[in-house]
Amino acid sequence: MKSEVAKSIDEYIGRFPKDVQDILQKVRSIIQKEAPEASEAISYAMPTFVQNGNLVHFAAYAKHIGFYALPSGNLAFQKEISKYKNGKGSIQFPLDEPIPYTLIKKIVKFRVSENLEKQRKKTQKKKTTNLKKPILKKS
């Protein structure tokens, strides 16, 4: 595998063996379906989806697929991810076990909803702040 950072998700996926490419494409298509307004990027040298901030990242390794739903995504699905090696914002899905695509779908839906809510609150706060500014009259 090349050591330089891929410039696109297609390039990233293309660097792996066919069986791993198939898994990565499936993960990508789930994210695209659940977050149709998200844009694709490479961030932290990994495929990333962005919608009102980072949504999720994923990556392939020698023995697992890493899925990164930030700490909130992991906290919301603690019970479901407990059977996998996981950290504060990461989950490792072993390549020698079935990939839990349904769980990935649920996590992405959660993250989209969470980011939309954060954006809504941010927009609401701006509107409220603008309403509180005094109007200066010219004499």
Side-chain angles (χ1 to χ4, degrees):
M1 186 166 66
K2 298 176 187 175
S3 61
E4 62 188 58
V5 175
K7 292 176 179 48
S8 69
I9 293 179
D10 285 326
E11 182 184 335
Y12 180 91
I13 291 173
R15 294 178 174 185
F16 292 91
K18 176 77 173 102
D19 58 334
V20 176
Q21 286 182 29
D22 292 344
I23 294 167
L24 293 172
Q25 282 290 16
K26 175 90 175 175
V27 171
R28 181 189 197 183
S29 68
I30 289 168
I31 299 167
Q32 288 171 327
K33 185 174 184 224
E34 298 307 318
E37 295 178 26
S39 57
E40 294 186 346
I42 297 291
S43 184
Y44 304 105
M46 295 183 282
T48 301
F49 280 79
V50 179
Q51 183 177 346
N52 300 316
N54 285 338
L55 204 55
V56 293
H57 311 271
F58 62 96
Y61 298 93
K63 296 185 180 191
H64 70 275
I65 298 295
F67 191 74
Y68 307 89
L70 311 178
S72 61
N74 281 21
L75 286 171
F77 294 91
Q78 267 186 323
K79 184 177 178 185
E80 292 94 330
I81 69 170
S82 64
K83 69 181 258 180
Y84 303 102
K85 185 174 181 183
N86 65 80
K88 186 175 178 183
S90 65
I91 312 164
Q92 293 182 9
F93 301 124
L95 288 171
D96 61 356
E97 294 178 21
I99 302 296
Y101 296 115
T102 303
L103 175 58
I104 291 170
K105 179 179 176 177
K106 287 179 188 177
I107 293 171
V108 173
K109 276 181 153 177
F110 171 82
R111 289 288 301 128
V112 168
S113 174
E114 182 178 49
N115 276 14
L116 287 173
E117 181 62 18
K118 281 182 189 175
Q119 185 62 35
R120 188 189 67 72
K121 285 180 179 177
K122 191 185 228 182
T123 302
Q124 191 63 36
K125 186 176 180 182
K126 275 186 181 177
K127 285 180 183 176
T128 305
T129 303
N130 287 340
L131 291 175
K132 291 179 181 176
K133 288 182 180 176
I135 299 172
L136 300 174
K137 292 183 179 180
K138 291 185 178 180
S139 309

